[in-house]
Amino acid sequence: MTSADTGQPRRVLVTGAGGKTGHAVIAAIRASGGQCRAVVHTSRDVAGAEAVVADQCSVDELVAALDGVDAVYAIAPNLSDAEIVMAEALIEACQRHGVERLVFHSVIHPQLVSMPHHRDKLHAEARLLESGLAVTILQPNVYMQNLAAFRAAMQAATLAVPYATDRPFGMVDLRDVAQVVARAVLDDIGVHATWELSGPANVTIDDVARLASRTLPRFVLAERVAPDTWMRSHPAATSTVDERLRAMFAHYDAHGSPGDGTVLAAVLDAPPRTIDAYLRELLAS
């Protein structure tokens, strides 16, 4: 938990800190005794961290952000088409500044190159593995927290998604992923390792609806809506994001996103959170 050189709390640079993953990671690192510097794209306050504005594609700006840092946790904005550029810039910045410890946020099964954002993660992983840095690659599955966007719909008795409702997903609680990050950057476990992080069970959207029905005083119906209909109701910010979402929905429609919870259970200090427990928490709020 401390820097070997100073005996002070280890200081971690968290890129992409403005999103929900960055917030969860900062909270977990702080709770475990570390300190954080948060890289954000535009000026803002970040709870629990010193915020610095930097472009993840700029080597010089990343070098400046690395001053006084012992380790890095790196995550690109969701569905970004600059993933590889960001990875290359961070590698060069770490090499120039002498920061060796880096934990990289990838995605479950990046070899599924039919999804462009998975393909980009795969290439970024390759760059990192060839960098000579002390890298840990984390490959989390779909977050349970993504269901929070459906809370009002479930309370109104419907759970509609743009893919088949009977496909399996190894949903993982973001807080568990964040705890793995904290252990990796503070305790230096998993150096040169690649860890798939899935939850303790594979569940379908039909399963989620059934579990929600047990918690709520009403039956929740799971249904598939056409991707075009979904996108009209949830327009993407850019055409690139639209394309990537549609590719992801097509894959989920055919295969879901199954995974195995062995690694997560082995690394955590406590049992992984279950989808049943998460839904009870979500729907009670």
Side-chain angles (χ1 to χ4, degrees):
M1 294 185 184
T2 61
S3 168
D5 295 332
T6 67
Q8 298 299 312
R10 178 167 286 195
R11 196 171 199 187
V12 181
L13 183 73
V14 177
T15 74
K20 64 184 177 184
T21 302
H23 289 166
V25 165
I26 289 168
I29 291 172
R30 293 275 295 174
S32 298
Q35 296 180 348
C36 294
R37 176 177 294 158
V39 171
V40 291
H41 187 63
T42 57
S43 182
R44 70 179 76 179
D45 292 331
V46 178
E50 171 201 1
V52 296
V53 176
D55 183 346
Q56 289 196 62
C57 295
S58 169
V59 176
D60 290 340
E61 292 182 22
L62 288 172
V63 167
L66 285 167
D67 190 44
V69 163
D70 304 297
V72 178
Y73 165 74
I75 180 171
N78 194 30
L79 300 170
S80 172
D81 59 356
E83 183 88 47
I84 300 169
V85 175
M86 291 180 183
E88 291 174 340
L90 184 58
I91 289 167
E92 184 176 343
C94 286
Q95 290 170 337
R96 279 171 49 178
H97 204 284
V99 175
E100 296 185 355
R101 187 70 178 109
L102 191 152
V103 176
F104 177 68
H105 190 104
S106 186
V107 67
I108 191 75
H109 304 147
Q111 61 268 41
L112 294 171
V113 296
S114 61
M115 291 181 281
H117 68 294
H118 282 235
R119 177 198 63 215
D120 289 352
K121 292 282 193 186
L122 181 67
H123 291 308
E125 285 187 14
R127 305 289 201 280
L128 288 158
L129 292 171
E130 295 169 347
S131 69
L133 300 174
V135 174
T136 301
I137 294 172
L138 303 182
Q139 298 176 336
N141 213 320
V142 176
Y143 294 155
M144 295 178 189
Q145 277 71 12
N146 292 350
L147 294 170
F150 299 92
R151 181 177 61 185
M154 284 189 282
Q155 289 171 334
T158 302
L159 177 54
V161 294
Y163 43 83
T165 62
D166 61 351
R167 300 296 187 257
F169 290 83
M171 292 187 189
V172 63
D173 195 298
L174 173 55
R175 292 166 294 185
D176 288 340
V177 173
Q179 188 59 47
V180 172
V181 174
R183 291 212 62 199
V185 295
L186 298 179
D187 300 337
D188 278 340
I189 63 171
V191 176
H192 305 307
T194 298
W195 288 341
E196 291 186 1
L197 301 177
S198 289
N202 287 297
V203 296
T204 67
I205 295 300
D206 288 330
D207 293 330
V208 171
R210 282 192 289 270
L211 291 170
S213 298
R214 295 179 191 173
T215 300
L216 295 167
R218 63 185 60 83
F219 177 76
V220 178
L221 174 67
E223 62 179 3
R224 179 191 185 277
V225 297
D228 284 345
T229 302
W230 173 270
M231 295 305 297
R232 283 195 294 271
S233 300
H234 304 79
T238 67
S239 60
T240 298
V241 172
D242 183 285
E243 173 194 357
R244 292 180 172 223
L245 281 172
R246 289 176 184 275
M248 183 178 72
F249 294 155
H251 179 83
Y252 287 175
D253 199 43
H255 308 288
S257 183
D260 178 81
T262 302
V263 172
L264 182 67
V267 176
L268 287 178
D269 293 327
R273 293 174 173 90
T274 66
I275 185 65
D276 195 9
Y278 175 75
L279 282 171
R280 288 198 302 269
E281 178 185 344
L282 173 68
L283 297 174
S285 63

